[in-house]
Amino acid sequence: MSKVKTLKNLYTKNRGLNTFLLGLLLSALFIVPVIIEQGGIFFYYGDFNAQEIPFYQLVHDEILRGNTNWTVLTDIGTPTISSYLFYLIGSPFFHITLLFPSEAVPYLMGPLFILKFACASLTAYLYIKRYVRNPNYAVIGGLLYAFSGFSIYNIFFFHFHEPMIIFPLLLYAVDKFMYEDKRGLLAICVFAACAVNYYFFAGMAVFVAIYWLMLVFTNNYKLTLKRVLLFVFEVVIGFAATAFLVLPTVFFIMGNPRLSSFPNGYDALVYDISQKYAAVISSFFIPPDLPAQPNFAPGADAKWASLGGWLPLVGMTGVIGYLQLRKRDWLKKLILLLALFAFVPILNSTFQLLNSSIFYARWYYMFTLILDLATVKALEDKKTDWSRAFKWSAGITMFIVAFIGLMPNTYEDDNGEEVFKIGLQEFDDRFWIYAAIAMFSLVSFALIIFLFKNKKRAFSAIVLVGVCVISILSSTYIVQTGNTLDADEKEYLRANAVNKTGTIDIDDIDTSRSDFYECPDNLGMYWQIQSINTFHSVVTTGIMDFYNSIGITRDVASRPEVDNYGIRGLLSCKYLFDAEYDDDDEEYCFIDEDKKTRMPGWKYIKTINECKVYENEHYIPMGFTFDSFISKYELSELDSRYKTEALLKSMVLSYKDLLKYSDITGYTKSDIAELRRDQKNGTNEFDSKTTDYRYGNDAYFSDCEKLASNSCDSFEYTGKGFRATFNNKGGDNLLFFSVPYDKGWSAYVNSKKVDIVKADFGLMAVKVDGKTKSDIEFVYEPVGFRTGIIISSACAIIFAMYLLILIIAKSRYAKAQGTNRGKK
């Protein structure tokens, strides 16, 4: 009996720790089996396998190698920190991996996930405990948040859980500032939130503003000018202190086409696809769909929207119960306001700076925390009418299930034949299992309420057990369902990709680029070799500009089709890998039905890691000169089919650079004037050399050989950029490098700083003198980095002074209080 009492006291005194440990245990129960099944590595499917694992290992190794400014192992080159700040650079979990060798990193992904769930449980507990009398309910709230639909859905996106962890701490700091006059913590949490992930921080900033205003206007916080100024000061100083990371990133992402779309017209008020409303509503009443495989609203165009808000066991029952209470407090008003934000496109987009290029619900973790808080408050409130709440919750859930699952549906299959089925769902078995989990949770929760609601001591414990059980069941099903996908690809990655860098026995593989035909995404990253195929959406705008300007879509990945074979020569691509595991399907084989390679000029050389390796017989080394130049407008007038081949015939320059280097390009002011008139009027009167271009295999081979003969004698990457030597046997010329243009580059020719020419829309060139051997060096430093360091350093000093003033003021106040008590 004494042991039971001791354990009870231990639990009571360490609820925060216990919440953390429960989160650790529950997540381990559905993650560890996958780790064991997958041979020690937590594989999932889709983006997780293609991005999260190779990104972590690649950046881990690049940082330890000192390549913090620029990496050549992502696409055709991109800034390291700015490209990966969204994914991992600011994550403390990533920095844990720096303590381990490279080979251990893939094996750390699963354990780090378990740790993330535990941390999310703890931070949610810390925030919620202020609002409940019985801290046991805060424990429940912590687990509901950590294992919510949003959290489980986003296992697919490993880096989405850091914002989930920091957000409750941010609200906790806001509450401490507002209700207890605790200073300093808010600035630290703002800094941490922004450093962890700037994209999610933008949403948090909007949410905190709404949260703060709601508390002010509902008279929950006594407003004074001093408090407002101090609040603003801490927010600003915390944000500004991240300048060393964020400022270079802001300059870096400006111009990214994914940031250029804003709500407009009726699309700002009403979603363009009605199924989005069904998707939003069902995400709070039903366990979450799998990313990329939506089931409840397959036509909502929301495959990766992070739609998830379901709370294990309780669903929306507790929220409805709280909303039905008669009191009109800030929390109820905030929930209704956030629901409005979820249903109005322009309001939804405010959490991502009004960007509406794609529908996202990636702020729902914030909404989920508020719904979680309402749920635990309803659990604690004796006035909650659970019977009424259950009727509404069960009614809405059953309506969703019946409406989607039993609706007659006629559609055309892939063969154009009309098919009739019952149900609007994409996957029948999965749909009904989701429905069963939701209904089982409702029934279980109803039984707990009915049997234990009046047993004060037992009730919270039974609810906690119920939350744990349903969390394990629902999470296990969802994770295991995802685990069954992409089985062949996972088997290939496990056997041939992870820690197989040293098996690529090609002498010059580190100094040349490779192509990947229908291979697993980012296989080159796993092997840490240069690749022109990259699934990575946050790359330098030079890459975006280059691809999009020649008619090749570049949004989340670089995947030039084989029809654009000319791009391989321009980008100095020497090798091509073709994975054998899908060779049974001709579409996925680099050898076509006529037993020829799908691009001209490639020959098979060997097989490595179950990949057939082909060599480009017309490889052009990095750094070469052209003897012909054309304007951007002239290239734009060509048929898209020929643009990549045309790039091998002439360097493409702006009007400004054609004139600036007219002695090399041959363009005169009158030429440019005529081109401008043509462009404006569409007259095509300028006699462009593009009319003489010849295309086809023979022309392509000839162009490649010509450029290769005018290429650099040597080329190598350095920790700061790259260097090359070029022996110019002709006249003055522009030396072209297929490295993305970025304002952070500086170029030196024979130790003299020279201007960088933006060539081919997003790549680079420099002028080299005729009849001269030139040593060329390019050095990269992120734009805004030095300024960011100065700003961050100044903020650190100001914040330290601020804390010192607070300490002195507090000491003097305590001393004065002691003196006054002594006089009394």
Side-chain angles (χ1 to χ4, degrees):
M1 192 70 179
S2 60
K3 290 184 178 179
V4 173
K5 188 174 181 180
T6 301
L7 289 172
K8 183 178 179 181
N9 290 337
L10 187 64
Y11 174 81
T12 302
K13 291 179 180 179
N14 298 279
R15 286 190 178 88
L17 175 61
N18 291 321
T19 307
F20 177 86
L21 293 176
L22 276 172
L24 209 66
L25 174 63
L26 295 182
S27 55
L29 289 175
F30 63 82
I31 288 178
V32 169
V34 177
I35 295 175
I36 295 172
E37 180 185 348
Q38 298 292 349
I41 299 175
F42 182 79
F43 283 110
Y44 197 40
Y45 74 101
D47 288 18
F48 187 90
N49 300 338
Q51 291 190 325
E52 310 297 353
I53 297 174
F55 283 10
Y56 252 63
Q57 188 171 30
L58 173 66
V59 180
H60 168 280
D61 294 355
E62 287 288 74
I63 287 177
L64 294 183
R65 283 191 287 256
N67 297 332
T68 55
N69 283 4
W70 187 267
T71 175
V72 300
L73 299 178
T74 300
D75 212 295
I76 55 173
T78 198
T80 308
I81 292 177
S82 296
S83 279
Y84 287 96
L85 183 58
F86 170 69
Y87 292 98
L88 52 85
I89 289 291
S91 168
F93 300 94
F94 166 72
H95 290 279
I96 290 174
T97 69
L98 297 177
L99 302 174
F100 295 84
S102 173
E103 293 76 13
V105 175
Y107 295 89
L108 292 173
M109 303 299 284
L112 287 177
F113 236 146
I114 294 171
L115 183 59
K116 287 185 181 185
F117 277 102
C119 290
S121 303
L122 175 60
T123 59
Y125 163 83
L126 292 174
Y127 168 67
I128 291 172
K129 71 175 183 177
R130 168 181 294 280
Y131 296 98
V132 292
R133 296 183 300 276
N134 182 349
N136 288 333
Y137 289 105
V139 177
I140 294 171
L143 296 179
L144 286 175
Y145 178 72
F147 299 96
S148 64
F150 185 91
S151 183
I152 301 303
Y153 178 107
N154 286 298
I155 286 176
F156 189 78
F157 299 110
F158 189 71
H159 56 291
F160 281 21
H161 287 74
E162 282 88 340
M164 278 196 71
I165 293 167
I166 196 64
F167 175 67
L169 283 181
L170 186 59
L171 292 192
Y172 172 80
V174 171
D175 286 351
K176 283 284 187 180
F177 185 98
M178 296 176 74
Y179 297 127
E180 300 177 26
D181 287 330
K182 295 292 185 182
R183 308 290 185 239
L185 181 61
L186 178 60
I188 294 171
C189 287
V190 168
F191 172 84
C194 189
V196 161
N197 192 297
Y198 60 88
Y199 169 85
F200 283 94
F201 175 75
M204 290 186 207
V206 172
F207 192 97
V208 167
I210 296 170
Y211 182 80
W212 185 81
L213 290 171
M214 182 63 71
L215 293 177
V216 169
F217 286 114
T218 53
N219 298 317
N220 281 272
Y221 178 61
K222 185 178 179 181
L223 203 62
T224 66
L225 180 60
K226 178 183 176 182
R227 285 179 169 178
V228 172
L229 292 176
L230 287 176
F231 187 90
V232 171
F233 169 78
E234 291 210 15
V235 170
V236 170
I237 200 73
F239 171 68
T242 64
F244 73 104
L245 289 173
V246 174
L247 190 59
T249 303
V250 169
F251 285 113
F252 164 74
I253 64 175
M254 288 173 64
N256 189 312
R258 302 186 80 198
L259 305 177
S260 59
S261 179
F262 296 94
N264 181 53
Y266 269 104
D267 287 342
L269 303 176
V270 182
Y271 287 120
D272 55 344
I273 301 174
S274 59
Q275 284 194 42
K276 281 191 172 73
Y277 293 101
V280 169
I281 294 170
S282 63
S283 70
F284 292 99
F285 288 87
I286 309 287
D289 275 339
L290 289 177
Q293 296 201 355
N295 199 10
F296 285 76
D301 191 23
K303 286 188 174 182
W304 299 276
S306 297
L307 278 167
W310 182 73
L311 298 175
L313 181 70
V314 297
M316 286 293 285
T317 308
V319 175
I320 294 172
Y322 187 82
L323 292 175
Q324 290 174 342
L325 291 172
R326 291 186 178 181
K327 55 186 177 183
R328 300 173 60 187
D329 64 354
W330 68 271
L331 182 56
K332 184 182 294 187
K333 293 176 181 178
L334 181 58
I335 290 172
L336 296 176
L337 180 61
L338 294 176
L340 179 65
F341 271 70
F343 284 108
V344 179
I346 190 170
L347 296 179
N348 183 76
S349 68
T350 58
F351 292 102
Q352 49 186 21
L353 299 179
L354 294 177
N355 178 30
S356 61
S357 60
I358 189 169
F359 169 71
Y360 281 143
R362 292 179 174 177
W363 63 277
Y364 277 20
Y365 66 99
M366 297 184 278
F367 196 2
T368 298
L369 182 62
I370 299 302
L371 297 179
D372 182 6
L373 174 58
T375 297
V376 296
K377 286 177 72 67
L379 287 170
E380 193 177 45
D381 198 318
K382 294 180 180 179
K383 297 179 181 179
T384 304
D385 186 346
W386 289 110
S387 176
R388 187 182 177 197
F390 272 115
K391 289 177 182 178
W392 276 97
S393 182
I396 295 172
T397 304
M398 287 190 290
F399 175 79
I400 293 171
V401 171
F403 183 81
I404 297 175
L406 302 177
M407 177 68 69
N409 182 22
T410 301
Y411 65 96
E412 286 189 0
D413 63 13
D414 295 337
N415 298 319
E417 297 181 3
E418 192 172 273
V419 177
F420 174 80
K421 66 170 286 191
I422 297 296
L424 306 176
Q425 65 274 9
E426 187 75 13
F427 309 99
D428 289 331
D429 53 347
R430 195 182 302 171
F431 173 86
W432 290 110
I433 291 175
Y434 279 137
I437 293 173
M439 298 308 297
F440 177 71
S441 297
L442 282 170
V443 171
S444 300
F445 190 35
L447 287 174
I448 291 172
I449 294 290
F450 178 75
L451 296 173
F452 298 99
K453 178 57 182 158
N454 296 323
K455 298 179 181 180
K456 186 176 179 180
R457 293 185 177 181
F459 180 63
S460 62
I462 298 300
V463 171
L464 177 61
V465 171
V467 168
C468 291
V469 171
I470 298 299
S471 293
I472 295 170
L473 292 176
S474 59
S475 300
T476 297
Y477 174 71
I478 294 167
V479 171
Q480 286 294 344
T481 302
N483 185 39
T484 62
L485 303 176
D486 299 340
D488 289 343
E489 182 175 289
K490 279 185 287 193
E491 177 60 33
Y492 177 84
L493 291 175
R494 182 169 52 249
N496 298 291
V498 176
N499 293 331
K500 296 294 183 178
T501 302
T503 62
I504 313 299
D505 55 341
I506 299 175
D507 291 341
D508 58 349
I509 195 68
D510 292 329
T511 57
S512 55
R513 290 178 178 146
S514 296
D515 193 6
F516 290 81
Y517 183 79
E518 297 294 347
C519 290
D521 277 326
N522 290 334
L523 182 57
M525 285 192 182
Y526 273 102
W527 292 337
Q528 296 194 20
I529 62 176
Q530 296 179 64
S531 170
I532 67 169
N533 299 90
T534 302
F535 176 29
H536 189 308
S537 57
V538 192
V539 294
T540 184
T541 54
I543 295 173
M544 303 284 192
D545 293 341
F546 168 69
Y547 277 111
N548 295 334
S549 296
I550 58 175
I552 300 176
T553 300
R554 207 304 179 187
D555 41 23
V556 300
S558 297
R559 299 185 183 113
E561 299 289 339
V562 291
D563 292 341
N564 298 307
Y565 56 81
I567 207 171
R568 275 71 180 183
L570 186 79
L571 299 181
S572 298
C573 182
K574 190 172 185 180
Y575 300 103
L576 181 144
F577 293 82
D578 177 23
E580 292 183 307
Y581 72 89
D582 54 10
D583 275 0
D584 292 338
D585 189 336
E586 286 187 353
E587 179 185 354
Y588 297 101
C589 184
F590 188 58
I591 301 297
D592 63 19
E593 60 275 7
D594 297 324
K595 306 303 179 183
K596 296 180 179 179
T597 57
R598 294 185 184 272
M599 292 189 294
W602 293 81
K603 67 174 182 179
Y604 170 79
I605 56 172
K606 62 170 69 177
T607 295
I608 299 174
N609 292 336
E610 295 185 54
C611 264
K612 293 177 181 176
V613 185
Y614 296 83
E615 184 176 358
N616 185 355
E617 295 181 286
H618 302 279
Y619 164 69
I620 309 171
M622 281 285 287
F624 46 87
T625 57
F626 291 81
D627 58 10
S628 175
F629 303 84
I630 60 173
S631 67
K632 295 179 180 179
Y633 169 65
E634 289 173 90
L635 187 79
S636 69
E637 289 296 288
L638 292 177
D639 190 305
S640 294
R641 292 174 298 169
Y642 304 127
K643 286 183 178 179
T644 59
E645 289 181 71
L647 290 175
L648 295 172
K649 301 176 186 296
S650 300
M651 185 187 298
V652 184
L653 300 176
S654 66
Y655 291 146
K656 179 181 176 181
D657 286 327
L658 284 171
L659 278 178
K660 181 178 179 180
Y661 300 99
S662 59
D663 57 325
I664 297 173
T665 66
Y667 279 72
T668 65
K669 289 184 179 180
S670 61
D671 291 333
I672 301 301
E674 191 172 345
L675 279 168
R676 290 185 187 276
R677 283 195 300 271
D678 279 358
Q679 187 171 5
K680 182 179 179 180
N681 302 323
T683 54
N684 292 321
E685 293 180 356
F686 182 76
D687 185 18
S688 175
K689 62 191 73 175
T690 59
T691 58
D692 297 325
Y693 287 172
R694 296 294 178 264
Y695 305 102
N697 291 358
D698 291 340
Y700 167 65
F701 298 153
S702 176
D703 291 337
C704 289
E705 290 167 8
K706 182 178 179 181
L707 294 175
S709 67
N710 294 316
S711 62
C712 286
D713 298 322
S714 67
F715 178 91
E716 64 175 336
Y717 291 105
T718 65
K720 297 179 180 180
F722 61 91
R723 67 168 65 99
T725 59
F726 178 71
N727 188 9
N728 189 2
K729 298 177 182 178
D732 292 357
N733 211 329
L734 298 178
L735 183 61
F736 173 84
F737 294 97
S738 58
V739 176
Y741 176 87
D742 188 292
K743 291 182 179 179
W745 284 110
S746 298
Y748 302 85
V749 177
N750 293 328
S751 301
K752 180 182 178 181
K753 189 172 183 179
V754 296
D755 292 337
I756 295 175
V757 182
K758 189 174 184 180
D760 287 7
F761 303 96
L763 306 177
M764 298 192 293
V766 291
K767 181 182 177 182
V768 288
D769 294 333
K771 308 297 182 181
T772 303
K773 185 172 183 178
S774 299
D775 292 320
I776 302 102
E777 183 172 16
F778 278 69
V779 178
Y780 183 80
E781 181 180 292
V783 176
F785 179 69
R786 293 189 183 186
T787 304
I789 288 288
I790 293 171
I791 294 173
S792 295
S793 300
C795 288
I797 294 170
I798 293 170
F799 184 63
M801 293 172 61
Y802 172 68
L803 291 180
L804 182 61
I805 292 170
L806 290 177
I807 292 170
I808 293 172
K810 185 177 180 180
S811 176
R812 288 181 177 177
Y813 177 78
K815 187 176 181 181
Q817 289 293 98
T819 302
N820 291 335
R821 283 195 296 268
K823 289 180 179 179
K824 292 178 181 179

